[in-house]
């Protein structure tokens, strides 16, 4: 017998507090801000326990009570979540954080997800919800991995997918979407230009917009990063979390997860300090954080081979900045050369060749090492948000900027 149950109640605007119902398709609130799913956590705390979760198979759906999918038949599953949390003993031993003993350094490796990125978590839930709501055609702007994930989950669910990507995206991302049956349109511009194309086609093409945070349920899927991290660490969160930030769902999702886990009584403060990592060629959140601003101005001429970080403007900028400040965290920009060096380091010292975005987190820790920020930190978790293979051209150019070929 199925024990499927969701404690989702409704949606609430993250800015004006207006409510919206789960039974109809939702994008942004009328005031222009993202909507966030609410749960009856008081009741959930009486009905669900960590021991119950422990008896379930690993993966995203073990947190079903805290996800918005109410009927099991709508679940679109490709094996998402349940990714390894790996110790980085050699890199950790090199860190001096002023304690005498080196901190414990860990890496959550999201490249184990379907289509090799943590975008699978968000799309698994968004597509399952789309199915529950009877939507048939989904469209998304993508820097690469969101398109691949949507293509895969839409195929799995029997829905149509259209993906808009910048024309200069690594070819592997485009091929993957096409092979998974999505229609791909290449756009002269960046992800914000792609987003405008999705918005413009809503009425003429009849598709539903599943852009990051303009659609509320990708956030719920990504929130499971926080649940899973807490569970893997036996409900003892680390001192510092270092996350590569583009549109911000990972960071905002984890912060939401921690708030829910406190309400459930499964964790206790202090919460981890969040570090947002961006590329110095596109660092709107880093700039706004250090300027003390509540919103981030659009970044001009965004460029980096860490394609998931090439997001010049984000609808949820204020939520990222709020989470960083509320956690006592910070924001760091790293150059493409620093990302490349950090990637080699992870690969040769620990056997983990990451996505450029994942490499950026190790580059950021090295930058923070000398500062007060890491002083006394005993546990630090990095996130490798994706696999390296689709960035083959980007990695080759970054690691061998002058060589035509690395090997004969
Ligand atoms: C999308 C993406 C990011 C950025 O994540 P957000 O949660 O949107 O900030 C980072 N890394 C990779 C590999 C991505 O695909």
């Amino acid at each position: 017998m199925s024990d499927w149950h969701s404690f989702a109640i409704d949606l609430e605007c993250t800015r004006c507090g207006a409510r919206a119902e789960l039974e109809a398709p939702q994008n942004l609130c009328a005031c222009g801000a993202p909507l966030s799913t609410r749960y009856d956590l008081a009741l959930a705390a009486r009905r669900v326990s960590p021991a119950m979760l422990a008896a379930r198979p690993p993966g995203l759906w073990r947190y079903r009570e805290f996800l918005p999918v109410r009927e099991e038949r709508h679940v679109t599953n490709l094996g998402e979540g349940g990714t390894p949390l790996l110790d980085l003993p050699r890199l950790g031993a090199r860190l001096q954080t002023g304690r005498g003993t080196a901190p414990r350094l860990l890496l959550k490796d999201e490249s184990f997800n379907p289509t090799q990125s943590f975008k699978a978590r968000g799309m698994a839930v968004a597509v399952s919800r789309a199915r529950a709501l009877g939507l048939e055609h989904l469209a998304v702007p993508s820097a690469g991995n969101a398109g691949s994930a949507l293509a895969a989950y839409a195929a799995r669910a029997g829905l149509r997918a259209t993906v808009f990507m910048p024309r200069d995206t690594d070819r592997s991302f485009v091929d993957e979407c096409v092979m998974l049956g999505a229609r791909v349109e290449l756009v002269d511009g960046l992800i914000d230009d792609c987003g405008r194309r999705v918005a413009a086609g809503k009425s003429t093409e009849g598709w539903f917009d599943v852009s990051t945070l303009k659609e509320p349920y990708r956030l719920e899927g990504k929130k499971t990063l926080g649940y899973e991290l807490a569970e893997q660490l036996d409900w003892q969160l680390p001192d510092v979390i270092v996350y590569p930030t583009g549109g911000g769902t990972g960071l905002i999702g984890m912060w939401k997860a921690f708030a829910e886990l406190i309400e459930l009584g499964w964790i206790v403060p202090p919460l981890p300090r969040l570090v947002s990592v961006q590329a110095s060629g596109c660092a709107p959140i880093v700039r706004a954080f250090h300027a003390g601003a509540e919103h981030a101005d659009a970044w001009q001429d965004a460029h980096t081979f860490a394609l998931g970080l090439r997001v010049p403007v984000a609808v949820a900028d204020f939520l990222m900045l709020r989470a960083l400040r509320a956690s006592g965290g910070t924001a760091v920009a790293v150059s493409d050369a620093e990302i490349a060096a950090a990637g080699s380091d992870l690969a040769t010292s620990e056997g983990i060749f990451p996505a450029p975005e994942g490499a950026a987190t190790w580059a950021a820790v090295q930058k923070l090492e000398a500062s007060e920020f890491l002083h006394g930190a005993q546990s630090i978790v990095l996130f490798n948000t994706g696999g390296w293979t689709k960035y083959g051209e980007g990695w080759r150019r970054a690691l061998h900027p002058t060589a035509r070929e690395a090997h004969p």
Side-chain angles (χ1 to χ4, degrees):
M1 208 192 83
S2 168
D3 66 340
W4 200 268
H5 189 74
S6 164
F7 286 95
I9 307 168
D10 63 4
L11 296 146
E12 182 178 47
C13 175
T14 52
R15 185 190 290 143
C16 74
R19 297 286 161 80
E21 58 170 14
L22 287 168
E23 286 69 27
Q26 305 286 356
N27 284 119
L28 293 173
C29 174
C31 84
L35 295 169
S36 175
T37 311
R38 296 193 316 148
Y39 297 82
D40 187 345
L41 295 172
L43 185 59
R46 296 202 296 274
R47 299 272 169 82
V48 190
S49 67
M52 272 170 70
L53 297 191
R56 294 177 183 168
L60 177 144
W61 299 103
R62 72 202 263 118
Y63 308 109
R64 65 191 66 149
E65 284 88 352
F66 315 103
L67 292 172
V69 181
R70 286 170 160 165
E71 291 181 56
E72 192 170 6
R73 68 193 167 101
H74 296 133
V75 168
T76 311
N77 186 337
L78 286 169
E80 50 284 348
T83 60
L85 181 63
L86 303 168
D87 264 298
L88 303 179
R90 289 203 186 78
L91 297 185
R94 281 201 231 148
L95 285 177
Q96 303 288 332
T97 53
R99 276 250 168 177
T101 57
R104 183 173 183 207
L105 187 68
L106 296 144
L107 177 113
K108 181 110 174 104
D109 196 350
E110 289 289 298
S111 68
F112 284 78
N113 275 300
T115 69
Q116 297 169 43
S117 89
F118 85 114
K119 292 289 193 300
R121 293 182 188 265
M123 288 303 182
V125 176
V127 169
S128 299
R129 282 291 297 157
R131 227 167 157 176
L133 294 165
L135 299 168
E136 287 168 1
H137 186 180
L138 308 177
V140 76
S142 174
N145 283 313
S148 306
L150 175 63
Y153 286 94
R156 184 79 164 163
L159 309 183
R160 283 170 69 199
T162 299
V163 176
F164 289 85
M165 285 182 182
R167 192 172 297 285
D168 62 355
T169 305
D170 277 83
R171 184 76 216 175
S172 323
F173 289 103
V174 180
D175 288 344
E176 187 181 25
C177 290
V178 171
M179 286 188 273
L180 286 163
R183 191 177 110 212
V184 178
E185 294 211 23
L186 297 177
V187 174
D188 294 307
L190 294 178
I191 191 167
D192 49 326
D193 302 296
C194 296
R196 278 188 277 278
R197 294 283 298 277
V198 171
K202 266 168 119 168
S203 53
T204 53
E205 306 283 338
W207 58 49
F208 183 74
D209 182 352
V210 286
S211 300
T212 295
L213 288 150
K214 290 183 186 165
E215 184 282 341
Y217 308 116
R218 285 174 65 183
L219 178 67
E220 295 306 297
K222 294 205 182 160
K223 174 184 88 176
T224 61
L225 280 177
Y227 276 76
E228 203 171 288
L229 180 66
E231 191 181 8
Q232 284 173 316
L233 292 172
D234 212 9
W235 311 101
Q236 304 277 325
L237 289 168
D239 296 329
V240 175
I241 287 177
V242 189
Y243 197 85
T245 313
T249 31
L251 212 58
I252 298 164
M254 271 192 275
W255 197 240
K256 183 175 195 274
F258 299 155
E260 291 174 359
L261 290 171
I262 288 181
E263 229 180 299
L264 286 167
W266 294 3
I267 61 168
V268 289
L271 291 179
R273 290 178 288 147
L274 302 178
V275 179
S276 161
V277 184
Q278 297 198 300
S280 43
C282 180
I285 299 301
V286 178
R287 181 172 66 187
F289 179 83
H290 293 290
E294 272 176 56
H295 285 274
D297 294 332
W299 191 273
Q300 301 303 315
D301 304 319
H303 61 90
T304 170
F305 82 113
L307 298 178
L309 309 186
R310 206 167 56 148
V311 181
V313 52
V315 65
D317 54 355
F318 68 106
L319 294 176
M320 283 185 256
L321 290 162
R322 255 190 225 166
L324 293 176
R325 291 186 179 122
S327 77
T330 190
V332 184
V334 292
S335 69
D336 277 11
E338 288 166 331
I339 293 174
S344 294
D345 219 5
L346 266 160
T348 57
S349 302
E350 301 284 5
I352 300 161
F353 191 35
E357 296 87 340
T361 62
W362 173 234
V365 168
Q366 291 171 282
K367 274 207 152 162
L368 285 172
E369 187 179 357
S371 72
E372 275 291 292
F373 186 84
L374 284 186
H375 193 82
Q378 288 179 299
S379 52
I380 302 169
V381 173
L382 314 180
F383 277 86
N384 177 32
T385 40
W388 74 272
T389 51
K390 287 181 264 176
Y391 304 77
E393 296 160 41
W395 266 125
R396 261 190 298 276
R397 275 194 302 271
L399 290 171
H400 308 284
T402 51
R404 283 174 52 227
E405 278 289 334
H407 302 286

